[in-house]
C-alpha cells in the first residue's frame, strides 16, 4: 500500500482476505478498507475493520471539517493523524510529510 492505488488493494482483498494467506487486516489495511468504503460504513465491521479504527476515522473526519480553514491545516491534521493511511492518501507529497 505504498502507493495510492486502492483498486489493486481491493483486488487482493477480494481474492485473499479471510483465507489462510491473509486471515486478518493490519491497522493500515483496515484504514484502506475505510477509504475504499467511505460511503458504506455499515460494511466496515463485516470487512474486518475494528471499532477502534472506525472511531479513529470519525475523529479524522471531524478534524478535517473543523480545521479546514486553518492556515496550518495540514500540520494540524498531522498532529493527531499523521501516522494514518488516510493522512497519507490526502496529503502525501503536498507538504504533509510526517
Amino acid at each position: 500500500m505504498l502507493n495510492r492505488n486502492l483498486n489493486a488493494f481491493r483486488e487482493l482483498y477480494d481474492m485473499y482476505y479471510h483465507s489462510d494467506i491473509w486471515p486478518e487486516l493490519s491497522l493500515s489495511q483496515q484504514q484502506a478498507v475505510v477509504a475504499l468504503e467511505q460511503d458504506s460504513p455499515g460494511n466496515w465491521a463485516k470487512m474486518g475493520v475494528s471499532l477502534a479504527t472506525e472511531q479513529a476515522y470519525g475523529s479524522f473526519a471531524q478534524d478535517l471539517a473543523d480545521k479546514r480553514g486553518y492556515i496550518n491545516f495540514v500540520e494540524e491534521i498531522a498532529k493527531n493523524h499523521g501516522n494514518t493511511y488516510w493522512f497519507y492518501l490526502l496529503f502525501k507529497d503536498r507538504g504533509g510529510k510526517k
Side-chain angles (χ1 to χ4, degrees):
M1 291 191 332
L2 293 177
N3 63 40
R4 295 183 183 172
N5 188 348
L6 286 172
N7 291 329
F9 173 76
R10 165 68 89 182
E11 288 177 22
L12 289 172
Y13 176 91
D14 290 343
M15 286 185 359
Y16 297 111
Y17 180 60
H18 273 139
S19 71
D20 290 340
I21 297 169
W22 188 7
E24 295 181 5
L25 296 176
S26 70
L27 179 58
S28 293
Q29 291 167 342
Q30 290 179 50
Q31 293 172 354
V33 167
V34 170
L36 281 167
E37 295 289 325
Q38 275 184 310
D39 295 333
S40 303
N43 292 336
W44 296 349
K46 292 183 281 188
M47 295 181 75
V49 176
S50 70
L51 180 58
T53 299
E54 288 187 34
Q55 292 170 336
Y57 181 74
S59 174
F60 176 74
Q62 188 65 51
D63 277 354
L64 286 178
D66 291 348
K67 298 175 180 174
R68 178 68 62 194
Y70 286 26
I71 292 171
N72 60 341
F73 174 67
V74 174
E75 291 82 9
E76 283 295 311
I77 300 302
K79 284 181 186 177
N80 293 319
H81 311 287
N83 63 343
T84 66
Y85 190 65
W86 310 307
F87 182 85
Y88 170 79
L89 285 174
L90 291 178
F91 300 111
K92 171 109 171 52
D93 298 327
R94 297 181 205 170
K97 297 177 181 115
K98 181 75 174 147

